[in-house]
Amino acid sequence: MDCFEINGGPRLRGTVNISGSKNAALPILAATILCEGETVLHRVPDLADVRQMTHLLEKLGLSVERTGPGTLRIRVEDEMNCHAEYKEVSKMRASVCVMGPLLAKRKQAQVAMPGGCSIGDRPVDLHIQGMTALGADFELTNGDMLLKAKKLKGAEIFLGGAFGSTVTGTANVMMAAVLADGRTIIESAACEPEIVDLSEFLNKCGANIKGYGTPRITIEGTGSLTGCEHTILPDRIEAGTFAIAAAITNGDLSLKCARLEHMLAVVDRLRKIGVIIERAEDGVAVSSARRLEPIDITTQPYPGFPTDLQAQVMALLCLADGNSVLCEKVFPDRFLHVAELNRMGARLRKEGPTVIVQGVKRLVGAPVMASDLRASAGLVLAGLVARGRTVVRRAYHIDRGYERIEEKLSAVGADVRRVDEEL
Ligand code: EPZ
């Protein structure tokens, strides 16, 4: 079982190439189910989750060919199978994104209801609300969501839940609505850059979507979509992770391809902590050479501070000069990294959806356990600065969302390597 072995200390310096966004690539891959002809996607990250999605697409009758670094050629060959089975969906929750395209293009979808995961409950009630609003019949049978519709009809849909908008819910409803009869309005839509990228992809395929990137998206249904060529946008969460890596090691990194305009909440918080982060010629430049100021951070849907960077910024705030407060408003249980960071000498106290971070002088290396993708990233960042050796077990979690992270970190000076098992 893969572990990362990290010896803390080196200041990171140099250039990191930011990969294409996992959370843009996954719904766009699902959207190819809608298309006639061939789709060519560039800058698709080589990640476990992407491989899982391409495997699912192949089971759903699509051919997927990797024709070069980051390039996939995709075509629908057979539309018989409309079943995304539990063994696929349980491995990766984003598989639920095939629901809308299957229903729109093949008039039916049978998708296993995703269970919970280590970041908490992962309901899909808003996805189902959107599909039934468009006229689909729904039933739950043997743990599968079964949806059928001879022809979807445009509707006005409010997609806000108790925790705000839903990213994959917005993606799913949009992908169902693009082939529906008439106009669909999605109110309280997710505004994430990944939704913008999906919308731009769909419009290049012949869809008619307006208002994306705002809470109100309007979709005029069209007869069919034709595959196109598209380049996936850079991963703002990977960029944020490496920005925090520069900050926590008092280093100096250039994040190639990163887009500052997609990270403004993160930039705001990091600057207030004392990190220097600026737009650079072909990306973002981050450096830090001073003690870090404590700060309060609340995670929110975009454009708020992303929940996917909560564990990483918590690791950074462990070393701030005072007490910080981190409040998790999107996934209130997303704190499995807290106990592991405390094993490294952090002083964290969880109070419901909030963690009080008492700054300490230093962290100390220890064997720790990764629990989910972003928690693993937080533990790796802590290991970069902890005194001595840290071993992060279950490194496979991090491979779901970061392309060869240990190579990217080593290339800028980190003392990190992947080992088969804890030595
Ligand atoms: C997407 O997940 C991302 N995944 C997550 O990134 C990210 O943490 C999340 O959005 C929030 O930004 C992908 O894009 C593949 P949501 P998603 O639906 O769409 C509640 C990572 O590490 N909700 O926006 O599943 C839900 O419980 C992953 O890359 C409902 O109540 O998240 C949560 O509290 C982790 N009913 C909130 O909404 C629903 O039907 C936001 O969830 C759907 C969601």
Side-chain angles (χ1 to χ4, degrees):
M1 187 180 295
D2 274 3
C3 301
F4 286 126
E5 185 185 77
I6 309 163
N7 292 303
R11 293 183 169 192
L12 303 190
R13 282 199 173 76
T15 297
V16 177
N17 287 317
I18 298 303
S19 303
S21 163
K22 166 178 85 80
N23 291 348
L26 293 175
I28 288 173
L29 283 165
T32 60
I33 291 170
L34 293 161
C35 299
E36 311 291 342
E38 182 176 74
T39 293
V40 179
L41 298 177
H42 299 293
R43 283 178 55 73
V44 180
D46 183 15
L47 301 169
D49 275 12
V50 169
R51 290 191 291 274
Q52 181 59 37
M53 178 60 88
T54 54
H55 173 69
L56 174 58
L57 292 182
E58 286 166 340
K59 295 196 74 169
L60 294 172
L62 286 83
S63 63
V64 183
E65 191 192 349
R66 191 172 273 274
T67 57
T71 298
L72 294 182
R73 287 182 179 281
I74 303 161
R75 179 186 289 274
V76 177
E77 305 289 357
D78 178 306
E79 298 193 311
M80 282 306 290
N81 181 24
C82 299
H83 187 186
E85 298 174 37
Y86 182 62
K87 64 175 182 297
E88 313 299 342
V89 178
S90 57
K91 285 183 197 136
M92 185 191 59
R93 197 188 164 283
S95 311
V96 73
C97 284
V98 302
M99 183 199 295
L102 286 174
L103 182 61
K105 186 71 170 53
R106 303 183 188 179
K107 316 298 180 205
Q108 63 173 322
Q110 184 173 344
V111 180
M113 181 169 268
C117 68
S118 51
I119 66 175
D121 186 18
R122 305 297 295 273
V124 288
D125 57 304
L126 296 171
H127 298 238
I128 295 163
Q129 180 182 301
M131 301 300 146
T132 51
L134 292 169
D137 297 323
F138 168 76
E139 66 172 301
L140 189 60
T141 166
N142 191 31
D144 285 354
M145 300 177 282
L146 205 49
L147 294 116
K148 288 185 179 158
K150 283 194 180 40
K151 185 66 183 162
L152 295 174
K153 197 171 171 331
E156 295 188 354
I157 303 166
F158 178 74
L159 217 48
F163 298 92
S165 49
T166 163
V167 176
T168 50
T170 300
N172 242 335
V173 173
M174 245 179 18
M175 292 189 284
V178 289
L179 296 182
D181 270 349
R183 169 175 296 179
T184 295
I185 292 174
I186 303 175
E187 192 62 79
S188 190
C191 303
E192 273 71 0
E194 294 76 31
I195 292 295
V196 171
D197 206 30
L198 171 64
S199 304
E200 289 176 350
F201 169 77
L202 289 168
N203 280 347
K204 280 201 276 193
C205 294
N208 181 348
I209 305 170
K210 291 188 172 54
Y212 47 84
T214 79
R216 185 182 179 87
I217 296 179
T218 302
I219 302 145
E220 301 295 345
T222 182
S224 66
L225 297 185
T226 306
C228 71
E229 191 155 1
H230 183 78
T231 298
I232 304 292
L233 92 168
D235 193 317
R236 62 192 170 93
I237 303 301
E238 184 190 27
T241 303
F242 278 100
I244 294 169
I248 206 168
T249 61
N250 273 350
D252 184 346
L253 289 181
S254 170
L255 309 180
K256 201 164 172 331
C257 300
R259 292 192 191 159
L260 194 90
E261 65 273 19
H262 289 165
M263 311 166 56
L264 295 181
V266 180
V267 170
D268 171 70
R269 295 288 93 185
L270 288 182
R271 283 176 175 163
K272 286 192 169 63
I273 292 171
V275 179
I276 300 156
I277 180 165
E278 303 295 344
R279 189 187 302 277
E281 194 184 316
D282 58 354
V284 173
V286 192
S287 60
S288 165
R290 50 168 292 188
R291 289 265 324 146
L292 303 162
E293 299 300 320
I295 193 171
D296 295 351
I297 294 179
T298 297
T299 65
Q300 289 162 322
Y302 193 88
F305 191 93
T307 175
D308 292 349
L309 285 172
Q310 180 253 103
Q312 299 92 317
V313 80
M314 185 184 288
L316 178 64
L317 290 172
C318 289
L319 296 166
D321 209 3
N323 294 351
S324 303
V325 179
L326 259 174
C327 184
E328 174 56 71
K329 290 277 193 190
V330 182
F331 292 111
D333 298 328
R334 192 175 196 170
F335 288 126
L336 289 180
H337 43 284
V338 168
E340 299 304 305
L341 287 168
N342 281 340
R343 283 176 47 76
M344 299 176 73
R347 289 220 189 111
L348 305 170
R349 198 177 77 247
K350 182 176 170 305
E351 300 282 346
T354 298
V355 168
I356 317 294
V357 185
Q358 185 181 337
V360 294
K361 288 269 178 274
R362 75 177 62 77
L363 294 174
V364 182
V368 289
M369 182 79 80
S371 55
D372 68 87
L373 164 53
R374 307 303 177 182
S376 324
L379 296 175
V380 168
L381 295 179
L384 293 175
V385 71
R387 176 173 293 183
R389 176 170 165 263
T390 296
V391 177
V392 181
R393 283 172 284 173
R394 299 185 180 174
Y396 59 82
H397 284 296
I398 213 163
D399 294 335
R400 295 189 50 182
Y402 293 91
E403 261 189 327
R404 299 180 301 281
I405 193 169
E406 76 276 17
E407 291 174 20
K408 291 190 178 184
L409 285 168
S410 307
V412 289
D415 181 350
V416 55
R417 61 198 184 104
R418 188 186 290 260
V419 296
D420 285 343
E421 57 187 36
E422 199 168 339
L423 304 177

